[in-house]
Amino acid sequence: MDFPDPLLPGTLERRYKRFLADVHLDDGRRVTAHCPNTGSMMGCCTPGARVWLSHRDDPRRKLAYTWELVEADGTLVGIHTGRSNALVAEALEAGRLPTLAGAHRVRREVAYGRERSRIDLLLSLAGQDCYVEVKNVTAAVRGDTALFPDAVSTRGTRHLRELMAMVEAGHRAALVFCVQRSDVERVRPADEIDPEYGQWLRRAAAAGVEVLALGA
């Protein structure tokens, strides 16, 4: 995936109120950018870190700048959770997820489930629906291992239950961890942060939900 325009480099001053970040750009300007990540961003929001912003001059937007990347632990990390769906869709098209290859139809953000959820990607594979939930993994790195989630995620647990229900109904279901950093080799559930999510993830895998990891 290529960004449509060059990103603007700067230094992070602070991230606050979850969705806001003050950045001192290299050209001397100080701007407030939208932070498109609702997690704790453990290890990815240290003041003084190098960051890169995208810019969109749209009068309908409250903030013209969006935080895209940060340099953390010597590697670039994509913190924009909205990019992960596009990255997974691109990987599917390129055949980088072999177990999900061959989809002749891909729909996005389709309403489904008992708990009023929306699936990130709904694939048609050999005449069978496959429900694909995408989770963006950015932080909480220990050695070569990333953790998910980096904060308690009741929404993530709900999505696991929905995927399990789809398998029970005779469909395929998959969870794809999209790891937007290149310094890790594996992902594990962050049991010390959200033990309930870890329990449900293991139940989902045992129930037939396919759990995959994609490095970006």
Side-chain angles (χ1 to χ4, degrees):
M1 185 182 76
D2 295 325
F3 292 104
D5 298 297
L7 300 183
L8 302 172
T11 302
L12 178 67
E13 293 185 359
R14 61 169 181 155
R15 181 236 188 173
Y16 57 104
K17 295 183 179 179
R18 291 175 67 190
F19 298 106
L20 301 175
D22 289 337
V23 175
H24 189 268
L25 295 176
D26 286 2
D27 62 13
R29 290 177 295 157
R30 182 179 182 272
V31 301
T32 297
H34 171 57
C35 177
N37 190 312
T38 61
S40 72
M41 292 182 60
M42 183 185 303
C44 293
C45 58
T46 305
R50 292 288 290 165
V51 297
W52 285 261
L53 311 181
S54 59
H55 177 265
R56 185 178 176 187
D57 193 8
D58 186 339
R60 296 171 295 179
R61 289 171 55 108
K62 292 183 178 180
L63 297 171
Y65 298 90
T66 300
W67 185 2
E68 299 281 355
L69 302 172
V70 62
E71 185 175 2
D73 300 321
T75 193
L76 285 179
V77 181
I79 64 95
H80 194 324
T81 58
R83 302 287 185 191
S84 53
N85 286 5
L87 286 164
V88 172
E90 184 178 283
L92 284 169
E93 186 176 348
R96 295 185 182 276
L97 291 168
T99 61
L100 300 179
H104 66 271
R105 186 182 184 192
V106 179
R107 289 184 286 164
R108 304 190 187 199
E109 296 294 329
V110 178
Y112 85 114
R114 304 168 181 170
E115 301 183 56
R116 299 181 180 180
S117 300
R118 298 186 76 85
I119 195 66
D120 292 318
L121 300 168
L122 179 55
L123 313 182
S124 292
L125 289 167
Q128 184 180 28
D129 286 339
C130 180
Y131 292 79
V132 180
E133 181 69 29
V134 177
K135 296 300 181 188
N136 193 59
V137 181
T138 60
V141 174
R142 298 189 179 172
D144 63 353
T145 302
L147 310 181
F148 184 89
D150 65 1
V152 174
S153 179
T154 56
R155 182 170 178 265
T157 299
R158 170 166 56 85
H159 290 160
L160 290 172
R161 293 195 299 266
E162 296 279 42
L163 294 176
M164 292 169 68
M166 293 300 101
V167 172
E168 185 180 355
H171 306 294
R172 286 182 66 183
L175 174 65
V176 180
F177 290 111
C178 182
V179 187
Q180 288 201 62
R181 55 188 305 155
S182 60
D183 59 345
V184 297
E185 297 294 332
R186 56 188 57 82
V187 183
R188 72 166 176 83
D191 297 304
E192 60 272 50
I193 296 173
D194 190 347
E196 185 175 5
Y197 184 86
Q199 292 169 7
W200 277 101
L201 177 61
R202 293 175 176 89
R203 290 179 192 172
V209 175
E210 302 164 41
V211 183
L212 309 171
L214 174 72

